[in-house]
Amino acid sequence: MRRRQVLAALAGLALLPAAAPVPARRIVALDWGLAETLIAIGAPPVGVPETRTYADWVVSPALPPGTADVGLRVEPNLEILQQLAPDLILAIAEHETIRPLLERIAPVLSLPIYGPQGTPYTVAQAATRRLGAVTGRTAEAEALVFRAEETMVSARARLAASGNARPVVIASFLDGRHVRIYARHGLFDAVLQRIGLANAWHGPTNAWGFATVGLEALAGMPEARLVLLEPLPRETARTFRDSPLWNNLPMVRDGRVLRLPPVLMFGTLPAAMRFCTLLTDALTGEGGHG
């Protein structure tokens, strides 16, 4: 009965805005970004993939104690999902191939954040409101959207007052010689636009908003400030110490390298707020390290 009620609620959100759909209570989120949104609006999921890795890469908001680990993000454990008896499973585009299997367990709501429509930030706003509707927490969802905008407005004002307008390149190390650079189509780039900072990387990026390049690519942005996201692979210690290429980069020689704690690069509004605050604090001398 509850499964039919949730299915009807999902289908009726657009058709019957005046109705009061049955809120989903036991939700499994197969995407960390959707999970962090649920936590932020006070409707935490009962199950999330790779919970230990979530703690390393997302950090905040933390998963509540007792959140079940449902296996891999791209290949969840169907047996565990069945045992959890969810009334809703949240998915993204990467789960479409297993959607028929998931639908045998519970209704599936797909909310892809990264795609051709809009920026990840604006799509995340819409996803937040949709999650507020299906969980019966519309006020909390609107409050999250508002807090995110306030965070961006405040950061823009702080950065303008500090005069720190140098272009930035946002990167994370894959190994000792290669980095991911986050730019067009990505969440971090959308944040930079909102807070008035220029992204120094103008090269191509993929649908997830990053480009994978060798360290030599950083030499093509001599005036930029480099912002490195942790965690850093162990090989980077040797790179920092011994690599002539790294140590002769203008941004390294001039001390224009910042390190930030981990932020979910493929996240939603909570990740956007975390990145915005960490970056702004670092650039205005109130945080950051390295």
Side-chain angles (χ1 to χ4, degrees):
M1 172 63 75
R2 183 168 181 81
R3 176 188 174 93
R4 290 197 297 271
Q5 290 175 322
V6 172
L7 280 169
L10 291 173
L13 282 174
L15 299 176
L16 298 171
V22 176
R25 298 300 186 196
R26 294 187 58 79
I27 303 175
V28 168
L30 298 182
D31 174 73
W32 288 345
L34 300 178
E36 68 177 1
T37 299
L38 287 175
I39 295 168
I41 66 173
V46 297
V48 172
E50 302 176 58
T51 54
R52 290 185 179 179
T53 311
Y54 176 105
D56 294 332
W57 287 90
V58 183
V59 183
S60 178
L63 293 173
T67 304
D69 190 320
V70 300
L72 301 178
R73 281 170 286 171
V74 294
E75 193 176 344
N77 186 309
L78 299 179
E79 183 177 349
I80 294 176
L81 289 179
Q82 187 78 54
Q83 292 171 355
L84 285 174
D87 49 29
L88 182 64
I89 298 173
L90 297 179
I92 55 176
E94 285 68 23
H95 299 114
E96 285 303 309
T97 57
I98 62 170
R99 186 179 185 121
L101 298 175
L102 298 175
E103 288 179 334
R104 295 178 187 175
I105 298 171
V108 176
L109 175 60
S110 183
L111 291 174
I113 304 299
Y114 294 80
Q117 302 300 320
T119 70
Y121 187 93
T122 57
V123 176
Q125 287 178 316
T128 298
R129 293 185 168 108
R130 187 73 186 276
L131 291 177
V134 300
T135 60
R137 303 186 74 81
T138 56
E140 291 83 353
E142 286 299 328
L144 175 58
V145 171
F146 179 79
R147 288 200 309 275
E149 280 298 287
E150 286 290 288
T151 300
M152 304 297 147
V153 170
S154 173
R156 189 181 186 100
R158 288 172 60 195
L159 290 167
S162 73
N164 204 329
R166 184 185 293 272
V168 298
V169 54
I170 312 298
S172 59
F173 269 91
L174 295 179
D175 55 38
R177 299 177 58 186
H178 299 88
V179 293
R180 274 182 179 173
I181 294 180
Y182 302 95
R184 192 164 59 95
H185 305 310
L187 181 68
F188 295 160
D189 189 65
V191 171
L192 293 182
Q193 292 179 39
R194 283 182 128 74
I195 64 177
L197 290 179
N199 197 320
W201 178 258
H202 301 295
T205 58
N206 61 17
W208 289 83
F210 69 86
T212 301
V213 298
L215 285 181
E216 65 276 4
L218 297 175
M221 299 170 283
E223 300 303 318
R225 185 184 303 278
L226 176 61
V227 178
L228 290 178
L229 292 168
E230 297 179 342
L232 299 175
R234 283 180 292 181
E235 306 96 294
T236 57
R238 179 176 295 177
T239 298
F240 296 158
R241 185 183 67 240
D242 299 334
S243 169
L245 174 57
W246 170 260
N247 286 294
N248 282 289
L249 290 171
M251 56 188 63
V252 175
R253 289 200 317 264
D254 298 343
R256 288 184 271 114
V257 179
L258 292 173
R259 285 168 54 182
L260 297 185
V263 184
L264 182 58
M265 58 283 293
F266 309 126
T268 51
L269 295 185
M273 295 165 64
R274 176 173 167 80
F275 174 70
C276 176
T277 300
L278 289 171
L279 178 61
T280 303
D281 286 350
L283 290 175
T284 57
E286 297 177 28
H289 55 285

